[in-house]
């Protein structure tokens, strides 16, 4: 009997904490979704979102146990008193003119005293960036939507962007307690027209070489949304297979959109073969119509000749027929491009356009870049040109990249604006709406927030001829080898005096013959 008591206590200790954990409702949750959008150019955009929300005060509470929220990021928030973090890796350029406004934007912290902004305009995004990103997911890449994240398919696309967003979210109206939200987003654009042999048809297997088999068991919501806004039931020009059970309509980026919903938590959605392959087929070729032009898009380029001076120009397009709106333009220029601020010009419709706000922070050589921020009013149906001249600096020979003749990259300009909406949006419940709908903060229903990035620029700098040292080394070594070799040969050679030898038998015979002829001997 005495031996049974410790055994009972051991069983109680093993089962007791588990029972307490099950009795207490979980304080964290996971939602995952995939949005597939056919673009006007014929490409297909796929946007993944994985949101982990934890009702915990990480900066106040001593947290030691992590369930869904990554421990590495939780310790980062606690140790450095982090307020917000937005980190993204992007390969390619989002073509706003042909693809429409970007689907994802990252809001910033408005407190400039605590804001840190950095851009690396040239970096190769590869599997080494994707693997740690997938390890932050509760189900990694074993189940749920993350099984589609196959590296060899994601990196052979026209556009690829993966990001991590961390921010606090208020639990109540007074914001007396907060929750921490982690959003992992990944956006890719597939050129389905080329891979589909001239057809705009697509499927999950064609894009990702995989299909959906099961939802993530830790997720409270796992859905796939397919944009079927252009679907016309009367003409039946588009076929979506399998047919969706429900649809969702809302105002997204100022336009009314309709989405087909596929809920992976619905047991009837995944068939007996545990395979879900969503397909979209065009029964007849769609009409070749010009893609709709977004109300706001931009273009940036560098002009000039020679390697001394140049000019940076940014074109801001407002295609709205009758409404003007302001745009916040942010530029970070490397220190080796010395800006002439007095040459800054802003013109709209051939007239000078004075910014209502301007902030400039000069660069320091080898310490910090130029920072230029302006609030510009864009007139309706206009093109606004922002230009500034610069002078190229001469770097030290140790500061050049391994391939200096390729050029140096300049980070893109950042545009933030409240763009007028075509259709007025209604207030929605952010917790009940899809994740992609909660990324667009709006002040009212008549505007929607957009953040755009222009192209990164490639600028050539005065570059010395790095082949000259090689030529000098080769010439010097040749001269030294010839001169030193000859001089060393003269110093080390031994000279001997040889006595003249008498001729041999042949010489004697020749002299006899010469004497017989009366010719002097040799």
């Amino acid at each position: 009997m005495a031996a049974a008591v410790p055994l009972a206590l051991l069983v109680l200790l093993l089962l007791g904490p588990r029972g307490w954990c099950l009795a207490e409702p979980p304080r964290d949750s996971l939602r995952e979704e995939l949005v597939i959008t056919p673009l006007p150019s014929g490409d297909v955009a796929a946007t993944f979102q994985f949101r982990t929300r934890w009702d915990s005060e990480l900066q106040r509470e001593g947290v030691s146990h992590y369930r869904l929220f990554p421990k590495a990021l939780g310790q980062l928030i606690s140790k450095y008193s982090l307020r917000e973090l937005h980190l993204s890796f992007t390969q390619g350029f989002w073509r706003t003119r042909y693809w429409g406004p970007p689907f994802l934007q990252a809001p910033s912290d408005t407190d400039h005293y605590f804001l840190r902004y950095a851009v690396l305009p040239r970096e190769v995004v590869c599997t080494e960036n994707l693997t740690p990103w997938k390890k932050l997911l509760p189900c990694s890449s074993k189940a749920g939507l993350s099984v589609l994240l196959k590296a060899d398919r994601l990196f052979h696309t026209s556009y690829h962007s993966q990001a991590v967003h961390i921010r606090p979210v208020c639990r109540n109206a007074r914001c007396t307690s907060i929750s921490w939200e982690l959003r992992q987003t990944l956006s890719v654009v597939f050129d389905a027209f080329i891979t589909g042999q001239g057809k705009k048809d697509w499927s999950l297997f064609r894009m990702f070489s995989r299909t959906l088999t099961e939802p993530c068991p830790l997720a409270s919501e796992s859905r796939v949304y397919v944009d079927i806004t252009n679907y016309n039931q009367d003409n039946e020009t588009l076929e979506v297979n399998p047919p969706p059970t429900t649809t969702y309509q809302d105002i997204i980026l100022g336009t009314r959109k309709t989405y087909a919903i596929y809920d992976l938590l619905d047991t009837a959605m995944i068939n007996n073969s545990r395979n879900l392959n969503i397909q979209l087929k065009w029964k007849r070729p769609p009409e070749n119509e010009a893609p709709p032009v977004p109300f706001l898009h931009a273009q940036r380029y560098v002009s000039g000749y020679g390697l001394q001076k140049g000019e940076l120009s940014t074109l801001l397009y407002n295609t709205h027929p009758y409404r003007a709106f302001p745009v916040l333009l942010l530029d970070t220029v490397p220190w080796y491009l010395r800006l002439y601020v007095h040459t800054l010009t802003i013109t709209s419709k051939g007239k000078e356009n004075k910014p209502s706000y301007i902030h400039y922070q000069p660069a320091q050589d080898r310490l910090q870049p130029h920072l230029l921020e302006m609030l510009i009013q864009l007139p309706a149906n206009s093109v606004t040109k922002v230009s500034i001249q610069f002078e190229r600096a001469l770097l030290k020979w140790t500061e050049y990249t391994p391939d200096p003749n390729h050029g140096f990259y300049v980070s893109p300009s950042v545009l933030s604006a409240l763009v007028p909406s075509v259709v007025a949006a209604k207030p929605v419940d952010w917790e009940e709406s899809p994740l992609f709908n909660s990324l667009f903060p709006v002040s009212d229903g008549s505007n929607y927030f957009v953040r755009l990035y222009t192209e990164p620029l490639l600028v050539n700098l005065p570059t010395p001829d790095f082949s000259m040292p090689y030529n000098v080394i080769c010439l010097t070594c040749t001269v030294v080898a010839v001169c030193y070799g000859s001089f060393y040969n003269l110093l080390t050679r031994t000279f001997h005096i040889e006595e003249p030898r008498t001729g041999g038998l042949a010489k004697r015979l020749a002299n006899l013959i010469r004497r017989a002829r009366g010719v002097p001997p040799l």
Side-chain angles (χ1 to χ4, degrees):
M1 188 65 180
V5 174
L7 182 60
L9 292 176
L10 179 61
V11 174
L12 179 62
L13 291 176
L14 290 176
L15 297 180
R18 181 176 297 180
W20 297 335
C21 293
L22 293 178
E24 181 182 357
R27 302 171 59 187
D28 51 1
S29 61
L30 170 66
R31 295 175 60 185
E32 60 177 10
E33 73 177 27
L34 167 62
V35 182
I36 301 177
T37 307
L39 300 176
S41 61
D43 302 326
V44 179
T47 303
F48 294 84
Q49 281 201 73
F50 304 90
R51 192 200 75 168
T52 304
R53 185 170 179 177
W54 194 7
D55 298 338
S56 175
E57 296 281 353
L58 294 178
Q59 298 178 350
R60 299 178 183 177
E61 302 177 3
V63 179
S64 59
H65 176 69
Y66 292 81
R67 196 175 78 99
L68 300 179
F69 203 90
K71 185 176 181 180
L73 298 180
Q75 293 177 344
L76 183 67
I77 297 173
S78 303
K79 184 176 181 180
Y80 296 101
S81 300
L82 194 67
R83 294 190 178 185
E84 283 192 36
L85 173 64
H86 303 278
L87 177 64
S88 62
F89 294 91
T90 303
Q91 183 74 28
F93 175 67
W94 183 272
R95 305 181 183 277
T96 308
R97 177 65 177 80
Y98 303 99
W99 296 345
F103 201 71
L104 296 175
Q105 297 97 16
S108 60
D109 191 347
T110 57
D111 194 343
H112 290 220
Y113 292 98
F114 299 97
L115 176 62
R116 299 294 181 268
Y117 175 77
V119 177
L120 187 62
R122 175 62 177 172
E123 178 66 20
V124 178
V125 183
C126 58
T127 309
E128 297 178 356
N129 307 116
L130 181 63
T131 302
W133 186 89
K134 291 193 294 186
K135 289 183 178 180
L136 298 177
L137 299 173
C139 290
S140 185
S141 58
K142 307 299 182 182
L145 300 178
S146 58
V147 298
L148 301 177
L149 304 179
K150 192 176 180 181
D152 61 340
R153 300 295 298 174
L154 296 179
F155 293 115
H156 289 81
T157 55
S158 303
Y159 175 82
H160 171 272
S161 179
Q162 63 187 66
V164 174
H165 307 281
I166 302 177
R167 65 174 183 175
V169 179
C170 297
R171 299 188 205 174
N172 48 41
R174 296 184 179 181
C175 204
T176 56
S177 58
I178 63 173
S179 302
W180 284 97
E181 180 186 82
L182 167 65
R183 290 207 185 198
Q184 295 179 244
T185 62
L186 189 144
S187 300
V188 290
V189 176
F190 294 92
D191 195 342
F193 191 77
I194 294 179
T195 57
Q197 299 179 354
K199 299 180 180 179
K200 294 185 178 182
D201 303 343
W202 57 263
S203 65
L204 290 182
F205 185 80
R206 179 178 293 178
M207 293 189 295
F208 301 102
S209 295
R210 293 179 180 176
T211 56
L212 296 174
T213 56
E214 59 179 344
C216 176
L218 300 176
S220 60
E221 181 181 302
S222 181
R223 294 181 177 180
V224 178
Y225 294 86
V226 180
D227 188 357
I228 56 173
T229 305
N230 296 328
Y231 176 71
N232 191 344
Q233 295 182 353
D234 298 332
N235 299 331
E236 294 184 352
T237 58
L238 186 65
E239 179 183 357
V240 182
N241 188 33
T245 56
T246 57
T247 59
Y248 173 79
Q249 293 185 356
D250 205 344
I251 308 300
I252 305 298
L253 294 175
T255 307
R256 186 177 300 277
K257 296 287 186 178
T258 303
Y259 294 91
I261 302 178
Y262 298 88
D263 191 354
L264 298 185
L265 297 181
D266 186 2
T267 56
M269 182 56 61
I270 299 180
N271 51 24
N272 298 329
S273 61
R274 302 179 63 85
N275 183 5
L276 177 61
N277 183 23
I278 304 175
Q279 303 178 10
L280 186 143
K281 297 181 179 180
W282 293 89
K283 292 186 177 180
R284 62 181 183 182
E287 299 179 357
N288 295 326
E289 299 180 356
V293 180
F295 286 155
L296 175 63
H297 61 279
Q299 181 183 1
R300 197 182 190 199
Y301 60 91
V302 60
S303 59
Y305 60 91
L307 295 177
Q308 182 180 3
K309 297 181 180 180
E311 185 178 76
L312 295 176
S313 300
T314 305
L315 301 180
L316 310 178
Y317 294 87
N318 177 13
T319 61
H320 200 283
Y322 55 87
R323 287 195 60 178
F325 54 87
V327 170
L328 185 63
L329 177 64
L330 175 65
D331 266 336
T332 54
V333 183
W335 63 268
Y336 44 78
L337 299 183
R338 309 188 188 279
L339 297 182
Y340 294 146
V341 185
H342 69 280
T343 63
L344 176 64
T345 57
I346 305 174
T347 57
S348 299
K349 296 183 177 181
K351 299 181 181 180
E352 182 181 2
N353 188 344
K354 293 184 178 180
S356 55
Y357 165 80
I358 185 170
H359 170 72
Y360 173 70
Q361 181 177 345
Q364 297 182 14
D365 289 356
R366 300 173 180 85
L367 293 179
Q368 68 179 21
H370 303 269
L371 177 63
L372 181 60
E373 190 176 18
M374 296 176 290
L375 184 63
I376 306 173
Q377 185 76 12
L378 303 184
N381 196 16
S382 66
V383 179
T384 301
K385 181 179 180 180
V386 181
S387 60
I388 186 171
Q389 298 180 8
F390 65 89
E391 181 179 2
R392 297 173 172 87
L394 184 62
L395 303 180
K396 298 179 180 179
W397 71 275
T398 56
E399 296 175 342
Y400 286 92
T401 58
D403 188 11
N405 292 315
H406 177 74
F408 292 78
Y409 284 89
V410 180
S411 59
S413 301
V414 184
L415 282 75
S416 304
L418 288 176
V419 180
S421 176
V422 178
V423 184
K426 299 180 181 179
V428 296
D429 186 2
W430 301 117
E431 290 301 321
E432 299 297 332
S433 61
L435 294 178
F436 64 86
N437 200 2
S438 60
L439 285 175
F440 314 119
V442 294
S443 58
D444 52 26
S446 61
N447 299 310
Y448 62 93
F449 177 77
V450 170
R451 175 163 291 157
L452 303 179
Y453 298 86
T454 63
E455 307 93 335
L457 300 179
L458 188 61
V459 179
N460 291 324
L461 295 181
T463 305
D465 187 1
F466 286 100
S467 64
M468 287 304 298
Y470 174 78
N471 298 335
V472 171
I473 291 174
C474 293
L475 179 61
T476 304
C477 292
T478 303
V479 172
V480 169
V482 172
C483 297
Y484 178 76
S486 303
F487 187 69
Y488 181 79
N489 188 19
L490 292 176
L491 292 178
T492 57
R493 177 181 296 181
T494 302
F495 296 92
H496 300 280
I497 300 177
E498 294 185 357
E499 296 293 336
R501 296 180 180 181
T502 59
L505 179 61
K507 187 176 181 181
R508 291 178 183 178
L509 293 176
N511 288 334
L512 290 176
I513 296 173
R514 294 175 68 87
R515 289 175 183 175
R517 294 181 177 180
V519 180
L522 297 175

PDB file of all heavy atoms in Angstrom, residues 439-458:
ATOM      1  N   LEU A 439      -6.286  44.554 -43.926  1.00  0.00           N
ATOM      2  CA  LEU A 439      -5.002  45.176 -44.220  1.00  0.00           C
ATOM      3  C   LEU A 439      -5.140  46.578 -44.782  1.00  0.00           C
ATOM      4  O   LEU A 439      -4.153  47.246 -45.009  1.00  0.00           O
ATOM      5  CB  LEU A 439      -4.231  44.328 -45.228  1.00  0.00           C
ATOM      6  CG  LEU A 439      -3.607  43.044 -44.695  1.00  0.00           C
ATOM      7  CD1 LEU A 439      -2.995  42.265 -45.829  1.00  0.00           C
ATOM      8  CD2 LEU A 439      -2.564  43.353 -43.653  1.00  0.00           C
ATOM      9  N   PHE A 440      -6.360  47.024 -45.022  1.00  0.00           N
ATOM     10  CA  PHE A 440      -6.561  48.304 -45.690  1.00  0.00           C
ATOM     11  C   PHE A 440      -7.252  49.276 -44.734  1.00  0.00           C
ATOM     12  O   PHE A 440      -8.470  49.412 -44.754  1.00  0.00           O
ATOM     13  CB  PHE A 440      -7.404  48.120 -46.947  1.00  0.00           C
ATOM     14  CG  PHE A 440      -6.961  46.970 -47.792  1.00  0.00           C
ATOM     15  CD1 PHE A 440      -7.814  45.919 -48.040  1.00  0.00           C
ATOM     16  CD2 PHE A 440      -5.683  46.939 -48.298  1.00  0.00           C
ATOM     17  CE1 PHE A 440      -7.405  44.854 -48.815  1.00  0.00           C
ATOM     18  CE2 PHE A 440      -5.269  45.878 -49.067  1.00  0.00           C
ATOM     19  CZ  PHE A 440      -6.131  44.826 -49.325  1.00  0.00           C
ATOM     20  N   PRO A 441      -6.511  49.960 -43.858  1.00  0.00           N
ATOM     21  CA  PRO A 441      -7.158  50.916 -42.955  1.00  0.00           C
ATOM     22  C   PRO A 441      -7.685  52.115 -43.724  1.00  0.00           C
ATOM     23  O   PRO A 441      -7.015  52.666 -44.594  1.00  0.00           O
ATOM     24  CB  PRO A 441      -6.018  51.319 -42.006  1.00  0.00           C
ATOM     25  CG  PRO A 441      -4.768  51.055 -42.781  1.00  0.00           C
ATOM     26  CD  PRO A 441      -5.051  49.897 -43.679  1.00  0.00           C
ATOM     27  N   VAL A 442      -8.897  52.537 -43.427  1.00  0.00           N
ATOM     28  CA  VAL A 442      -9.523  53.666 -44.110  1.00  0.00           C
ATOM     29  C   VAL A 442     -10.084  54.617 -43.072  1.00  0.00           C
ATOM     30  O   VAL A 442     -10.480  54.218 -41.976  1.00  0.00           O
ATOM     31  CB  VAL A 442     -10.647  53.208 -45.064  1.00  0.00           C
ATOM     32  CG1 VAL A 442     -10.082  52.404 -46.199  1.00  0.00           C
ATOM     33  CG2 VAL A 442     -11.682  52.376 -44.315  1.00  0.00           C
ATOM     34  N   SER A 443     -10.097  55.893 -43.411  1.00  0.00           N
ATOM     35  CA  SER A 443     -10.669  56.890 -42.515  1.00  0.00           C
ATOM     36  C   SER A 443     -12.189  56.938 -42.657  1.00  0.00           C
ATOM     37  O   SER A 443     -12.911  57.157 -41.688  1.00  0.00           O
ATOM     38  CB  SER A 443     -10.054  58.260 -42.813  1.00  0.00           C
ATOM     39  OG  SER A 443     -10.276  58.615 -44.184  1.00  0.00           O
ATOM     40  N   ASP A 444     -12.674  56.765 -43.873  1.00  0.00           N
ATOM     41  CA  ASP A 444     -14.110  56.700 -44.120  1.00  0.00           C
ATOM     42  C   ASP A 444     -14.330  55.808 -45.335  1.00  0.00           C
ATOM     43  O   ASP A 444     -13.395  55.241 -45.899  1.00  0.00           O
ATOM     44  CB  ASP A 444     -14.700  58.099 -44.335  1.00  0.00           C
ATOM     45  CG  ASP A 444     -13.953  58.885 -45.398  1.00  0.00           C
ATOM     46  OD1 ASP A 444     -13.341  58.247 -46.279  1.00  0.00           O
ATOM     47  OD2 ASP A 444     -13.966  60.118 -45.345  1.00  0.00           O
ATOM     48  N   GLY A 445     -15.562  55.675 -45.727  1.00  0.00           N
ATOM     49  CA  GLY A 445     -15.864  54.783 -46.829  1.00  0.00           C
ATOM     50  C   GLY A 445     -15.540  55.333 -48.194  1.00  0.00           C
ATOM     51  O   GLY A 445     -15.625  54.606 -49.184  1.00  0.00           O
ATOM     52  N   SER A 446     -15.158  56.615 -48.298  1.00  0.00           N
ATOM     53  CA  SER A 446     -14.910  57.215 -49.609  1.00  0.00           C
ATOM     54  C   SER A 446     -13.456  57.124 -50.043  1.00  0.00           C
ATOM     55  O   SER A 446     -13.138  57.484 -51.171  1.00  0.00           O
ATOM     56  CB  SER A 446     -15.340  58.690 -49.591  1.00  0.00           C
ATOM     57  OG  SER A 446     -14.589  59.405 -48.619  1.00  0.00           O
ATOM     58  N   ASN A 447     -12.547  56.674 -49.178  1.00  0.00           N
ATOM     59  CA  ASN A 447     -11.126  56.579 -49.507  1.00  0.00           C
ATOM     60  C   ASN A 447     -10.597  55.223 -49.056  1.00  0.00           C
ATOM     61  O   ASN A 447     -11.172  54.563 -48.192  1.00  0.00           O
ATOM     62  CB  ASN A 447     -10.318  57.692 -48.832  1.00  0.00           C
ATOM     63  CG  ASN A 447     -10.755  59.075 -49.263  1.00  0.00           C
ATOM     64  OD1 ASN A 447     -10.877  59.355 -50.442  1.00  0.00           O
ATOM     65  ND2 ASN A 447     -11.007  59.943 -48.300  1.00  0.00           N
ATOM     66  N   TYR A 448      -9.490  54.835 -49.649  1.00  0.00           N
ATOM     67  CA  TYR A 448      -8.780  53.639 -49.208  1.00  0.00           C
ATOM     68  C   TYR A 448      -7.281  53.918 -49.263  1.00  0.00           C
ATOM     69  O   TYR A 448      -6.791  54.675 -50.098  1.00  0.00           O
ATOM     70  CB  TYR A 448      -9.135  52.418 -50.062  1.00  0.00           C
ATOM     71  CG  TYR A 448      -8.784  52.532 -51.525  1.00  0.00           C
ATOM     72  CD1 TYR A 448      -7.577  52.069 -52.021  1.00  0.00           C
ATOM     73  CD2 TYR A 448      -9.685  53.091 -52.430  1.00  0.00           C
ATOM     74  CE1 TYR A 448      -7.257  52.172 -53.355  1.00  0.00           C
ATOM     75  CE2 TYR A 448      -9.380  53.198 -53.775  1.00  0.00           C
ATOM     76  CZ  TYR A 448      -8.160  52.728 -54.233  1.00  0.00           C
ATOM     77  OH  TYR A 448      -7.844  52.836 -55.559  1.00  0.00           O
ATOM     78  N   PHE A 449      -6.564  53.297 -48.344  1.00  0.00           N
ATOM     79  CA  PHE A 449      -5.133  53.550 -48.198  1.00  0.00           C
ATOM     80  C   PHE A 449      -4.336  52.688 -49.166  1.00  0.00           C
ATOM     81  O   PHE A 449      -4.608  51.500 -49.333  1.00  0.00           O
ATOM     82  CB  PHE A 449      -4.692  53.249 -46.765  1.00  0.00           C
ATOM     83  CG  PHE A 449      -3.217  53.413 -46.544  1.00  0.00           C
ATOM     84  CD1 PHE A 449      -2.653  54.667 -46.408  1.00  0.00           C
ATOM     85  CD2 PHE A 449      -2.384  52.307 -46.474  1.00  0.00           C
ATOM     86  CE1 PHE A 449      -1.301  54.817 -46.203  1.00  0.00           C
ATOM     87  CE2 PHE A 449      -1.033  52.437 -46.269  1.00  0.00           C
ATOM     88  CZ  PHE A 449      -0.481  53.706 -46.132  1.00  0.00           C
ATOM     89  N   VAL A 450      -3.331  53.303 -49.811  1.00  0.00           N
ATOM     90  CA  VAL A 450      -2.461  52.612 -50.752  1.00  0.00           C
ATOM     91  C   VAL A 450      -1.028  53.030 -50.483  1.00  0.00           C
ATOM     92  O   VAL A 450      -0.749  54.220 -50.264  1.00  0.00           O
ATOM     93  CB  VAL A 450      -2.834  52.938 -52.222  1.00  0.00           C
ATOM     94  CG1 VAL A 450      -1.770  52.417 -53.173  1.00  0.00           C
ATOM     95  CG2 VAL A 450      -4.171  52.323 -52.574  1.00  0.00           C
ATOM     96  N   ARG A 451      -0.152  52.067 -50.475  1.00  0.00           N
ATOM     97  CA  ARG A 451       1.293  52.339 -50.386  1.00  0.00           C
ATOM     98  C   ARG A 451       1.975  51.670 -51.564  1.00  0.00           C
ATOM     99  O   ARG A 451       1.860  50.460 -51.756  1.00  0.00           O
ATOM    100  CB  ARG A 451       1.866  51.817 -49.074  1.00  0.00           C
ATOM    101  CG  ARG A 451       3.390  51.961 -48.982  1.00  0.00           C
ATOM    102  CD  ARG A 451       3.861  51.825 -47.553  1.00  0.00           C
ATOM    103  NE  ARG A 451       3.431  52.974 -46.779  1.00  0.00           N
ATOM    104  CZ  ARG A 451       3.302  52.967 -45.459  1.00  0.00           C
ATOM    105  NH1 ARG A 451       3.531  51.875 -44.775  1.00  0.00           N
ATOM    106  NH2 ARG A 451       2.923  54.056 -44.819  1.00  0.00           N
ATOM    107  N   LEU A 452       2.666  52.475 -52.359  1.00  0.00           N
ATOM    108  CA  LEU A 452       3.314  52.002 -53.577  1.00  0.00           C
ATOM    109  C   LEU A 452       4.816  52.210 -53.496  1.00  0.00           C
ATOM    110  O   LEU A 452       5.297  53.100 -52.771  1.00  0.00           O
ATOM    111  CB  LEU A 452       2.777  52.741 -54.813  1.00  0.00           C
ATOM    112  CG  LEU A 452       1.271  52.670 -55.071  1.00  0.00           C
ATOM    113  CD1 LEU A 452       0.929  53.483 -56.310  1.00  0.00           C
ATOM    114  CD2 LEU A 452       0.817  51.241 -55.233  1.00  0.00           C
ATOM    115  N   TYR A 453       5.534  51.390 -54.246  1.00  0.00           N
ATOM    116  CA  TYR A 453       6.987  51.499 -54.349  1.00  0.00           C
ATOM    117  C   TYR A 453       7.359  51.600 -55.825  1.00  0.00           C
ATOM    118  O   TYR A 453       6.864  50.827 -56.654  1.00  0.00           O
ATOM    119  CB  TYR A 453       7.676  50.277 -53.728  1.00  0.00           C
ATOM    120  CG  TYR A 453       7.412  50.116 -52.252  1.00  0.00           C
ATOM    121  CD1 TYR A 453       6.287  49.444 -51.797  1.00  0.00           C
ATOM    122  CD2 TYR A 453       8.283  50.648 -51.309  1.00  0.00           C
ATOM    123  CE1 TYR A 453       6.039  49.286 -50.451  1.00  0.00           C
ATOM    124  CE2 TYR A 453       8.045  50.493 -49.952  1.00  0.00           C
ATOM    125  CZ  TYR A 453       6.916  49.821 -49.527  1.00  0.00           C
ATOM    126  OH  TYR A 453       6.675  49.680 -48.188  1.00  0.00           O
ATOM    127  N   THR A 454       8.224  52.541 -56.151  1.00  0.00           N
ATOM    128  CA  THR A 454       8.682  52.690 -57.527  1.00  0.00           C
ATOM    129  C   THR A 454       9.805  51.699 -57.814  1.00  0.00           C
ATOM    130  O   THR A 454      10.201  50.901 -56.956  1.00  0.00           O
ATOM    131  CB  THR A 454       9.164  54.122 -57.770  1.00  0.00           C
ATOM    132  OG1 THR A 454      10.300  54.393 -56.912  1.00  0.00           O
ATOM    133  CG2 THR A 454       8.073  55.131 -57.465  1.00  0.00           C
ATOM    134  N   GLU A 455      10.332  51.776 -59.034  1.00  0.00           N
ATOM    135  CA  GLU A 455      11.437  50.892 -59.398  1.00  0.00           C
ATOM    136  C   GLU A 455      12.719  51.320 -58.691  1.00  0.00           C
ATOM    137  O   GLU A 455      12.978  52.504 -58.510  1.00  0.00           O
ATOM    138  CB  GLU A 455      11.671  50.926 -60.909  1.00  0.00           C
ATOM    139  CG  GLU A 455      10.450  50.648 -61.755  1.00  0.00           C
ATOM    140  CD  GLU A 455       9.717  51.905 -62.153  1.00  0.00           C
ATOM    141  OE1 GLU A 455       9.831  52.914 -61.430  1.00  0.00           O
ATOM    142  OE2 GLU A 455       9.023  51.885 -63.172  1.00  0.00           O
ATOM    143  N   PRO A 456      13.548  50.376 -58.278  1.00  0.00           N
ATOM    144  CA  PRO A 456      14.902  50.749 -57.828  1.00  0.00           C
ATOM    145  C   PRO A 456      15.746  51.160 -59.025  1.00  0.00           C
ATOM    146  O   PRO A 456      15.572  50.645 -60.138  1.00  0.00           O
ATOM    147  CB  PRO A 456      15.435  49.466 -57.171  1.00  0.00           C
ATOM    148  CG  PRO A 456      14.651  48.374 -57.802  1.00  0.00           C
ATOM    149  CD  PRO A 456      13.300  48.938 -58.140  1.00  0.00           C
ATOM    150  N   LEU A 457      16.634  52.097 -58.809  1.00  0.00           N
ATOM    151  CA  LEU A 457      17.450  52.641 -59.893  1.00  0.00           C
ATOM    152  C   LEU A 457      18.852  52.047 -59.855  1.00  0.00           C
ATOM    153  O   LEU A 457      19.361  51.658 -58.800  1.00  0.00           O
ATOM    154  CB  LEU A 457      17.526  54.160 -59.790  1.00  0.00           C
ATOM    155  CG  LEU A 457      16.203  54.917 -59.877  1.00  0.00           C
ATOM    156  CD1 LEU A 457      16.442  56.412 -59.734  1.00  0.00           C
ATOM    157  CD2 LEU A 457      15.492  54.616 -61.187  1.00  0.00           C
ATOM    158  N   LEU A 458      19.453  51.991 -61.020  1.00  0.00           N
ATOM    159  CA  LEU A 458      20.824  51.514 -61.166  1.00  0.00           C
ATOM    160  C   LEU A 458      21.656  52.667 -61.706  1.00  0.00           C
ATOM    161  O   LEU A 458      21.443  53.130 -62.826  1.00  0.00           O
ATOM    162  CB  LEU A 458      20.874  50.317 -62.116  1.00  0.00           C
ATOM    163  CG  LEU A 458      22.203  49.582 -62.225  1.00  0.00           C
ATOM    164  CD1 LEU A 458      22.606  49.004 -60.873  1.00  0.00           C
ATOM    165  CD2 LEU A 458      22.125  48.478 -63.265  1.00  0.00           C
TER     166      LEU A 458
END
